Amino acid sequence: MVCDNAEVYGNAMVYDNAKVYEDARIYGNAKVYHNAAVYGNARVYDNAKVYDYAKGNARVYDNAKVYDYAKVCDNAKVYGNAWVFGNARVYCNAMVYDNAVVCDNAEVYGNAVVDDNAQVYDNANVYEDAEVFGNAEIRGDAVITSKSDYIVFKNWWSSGRYFTWTRSNDMWKVGCFYGTGKELIKKAYKDSELSGREYERVVRYVESIIITKHEIFEKLKKDKEMKYNGIIPLIYKRIVCTLWKGHNYIPVSPEDLSGKRLFECKYCKKQRVW
């Protein structure tokens, strides 16, 4: 259904139970179908598709634009001044809004949100309950599933621009630069001593907080060993102390004038004097 001041032209198509209304425009080879809705001042064009499966209700509205070969489907929403283009896909319950941009081969899905001035592009994936916001730039093959998967910093010492580090691939996006921390430091020192020193400080900070998969595995392994070699035997020995009086006494005080000392069971903490 097309109504209000909405227009559909070129080879564009609107069918099934889809709705295009208010001042929306659908053109080029774009398609809007199933139960999808496009409205407000939204634009869907080129080879873009807005649709849903089964009980979905995809929405594109406000001043949002979806174009090229981009797809918005399921219960996804694109609104505000957001742009989705290239071969990008926004689906499931994902939302892209404000001035956010999702493009190239990037995908945003699950319950993920991309908002503010954030950008997700190249082959990056944002999903689960992640939110990418502020001035974050997620690119390359980065994978974001939570807020801890990236950090946005601000260059306070010169340009004032924001730059982003992504955990999954340990890469840095700084202006036109995209590369490793080592490459960033090298480039920054070529620009100036101040720039090099400050970028190096930031990179070293991130290196100090990174927990690698190997370190996580080792920590879990250690925790497991503590659980089975420490806590469980300790509980067992305390039961032995209580039921069978199998105490393991150790001295906890020096001898008194009579030559006696205070002993305490290391498991159940029962004390006696010998």
Side-chain angles (χ1 to χ4, degrees):
M1 180 175 69
V2 180
C3 55
D4 298 330
N5 295 311
E7 291 185 19
V8 178
Y9 49 95
N11 294 312
M13 297 176 66
V14 178
Y15 53 98
D16 293 333
N17 295 310
K19 295 180 180 179
V20 179
Y21 54 103
E22 294 180 353
D23 295 303
R25 298 288 185 273
I26 313 297
Y27 53 99
N29 295 306
K31 294 182 180 180
V32 181
Y33 52 103
H34 291 158
N35 295 306
V38 180
Y39 53 100
N41 291 304
R43 299 291 185 267
V44 179
Y45 52 101
D46 290 339
N47 294 291
K49 294 181 180 180
V50 181
Y51 59 101
D52 56 71
Y53 295 106
K55 298 180 180 179
N57 290 285
R59 295 288 183 268
V60 178
Y61 55 101
D62 292 336
N63 296 304
K65 291 185 179 181
V66 179
Y67 57 101
D68 289 336
Y69 291 89
K71 295 180 180 179
V72 177
C73 53
D74 300 330
N75 289 306
K77 292 180 174 62
V78 179
Y79 58 101
N81 295 304
W83 287 20
V84 178
F85 58 98
N87 293 303
R89 293 181 64 200
V90 181
Y91 54 104
C92 293
N93 297 306
M95 294 191 293
V96 180
Y97 57 96
D98 292 335
N99 296 303
V101 174
V102 179
C103 59
D104 298 330
N105 295 305
E107 295 191 9
V108 181
Y109 54 101
N111 295 308
V113 174
V114 180
D115 57 348
D116 291 336
N117 297 304
Q119 297 181 27
V120 181
Y121 51 106
D122 289 341
N123 296 301
N125 276 237
V126 180
Y127 57 99
E128 292 185 1
D129 296 312
E131 181 183 6
V132 177
F133 60 101
N135 294 283
E137 289 187 59
I138 310 300
R139 65 166 297 184
D141 59 351
V143 175
I144 308 297
T145 60
S146 71
K147 290 181 181 179
S148 63
D149 286 337
Y150 71 98
I151 305 176
V152 178
F153 298 91
K154 184 176 182 180
N155 178 331
W156 56 268
W157 57 90
S158 58
S159 66
R161 68 186 173 192
Y162 294 91
F163 56 101
T164 307
W165 168 77
T166 46
R167 182 186 298 275
S168 64
N169 54 5
D170 194 17
M171 296 289 276
W172 295 82
K173 176 67 173 70
V174 185
C176 296
F177 170 86
Y178 184 68
T180 65
K182 183 178 180 180
E183 292 168 340
L184 173 59
I185 293 170
K186 182 178 180 180
K187 180 183 182 303
Y189 270 113
K190 286 183 179 180
D191 293 338
S192 72
E193 181 69 24
L194 173 62
S195 182
R197 184 174 67 248
E198 296 304 331
Y199 276 116
E200 182 174 17
R201 182 181 299 177
V202 176
V203 171
R204 298 298 177 229
Y205 163 73
V206 168
E207 290 176 346
S208 72
I209 64 172
I210 291 177
I211 300 178
T212 65
K213 290 182 179 179
H214 175 72
E215 289 171 329
I216 292 173
F217 174 77
E218 289 300 317
K219 184 178 185 301
L220 290 173
K221 182 179 177 182
K222 184 177 179 181
D223 290 346
K224 186 176 181 180
E225 289 175 349
M226 288 180 64
K227 178 179 180 181
Y228 291 102
N229 298 333
I231 297 173
I232 291 178
L234 179 59
I235 294 173
Y236 171 75
K237 289 174 181 177
R238 284 181 178 173
I239 292 173
V240 170
C241 289
T242 304
L243 298 180
W244 294 285
K245 310 301 180 185
H247 302 292
N248 188 346
Y249 287 107
I250 58 173
V252 293
S253 72
E255 292 183 355
D256 59 17
L257 294 176
S258 63
K260 294 182 178 181
R261 300 178 67 177
L262 177 66
F263 289 79
E264 182 179 89
C265 177
K266 63 187 294 185
Y267 303 120
C268 69
K269 306 303 179 182
K270 181 176 180 179
Q271 296 180 339
R272 1 183 357 173
V273 176
W274 280 307

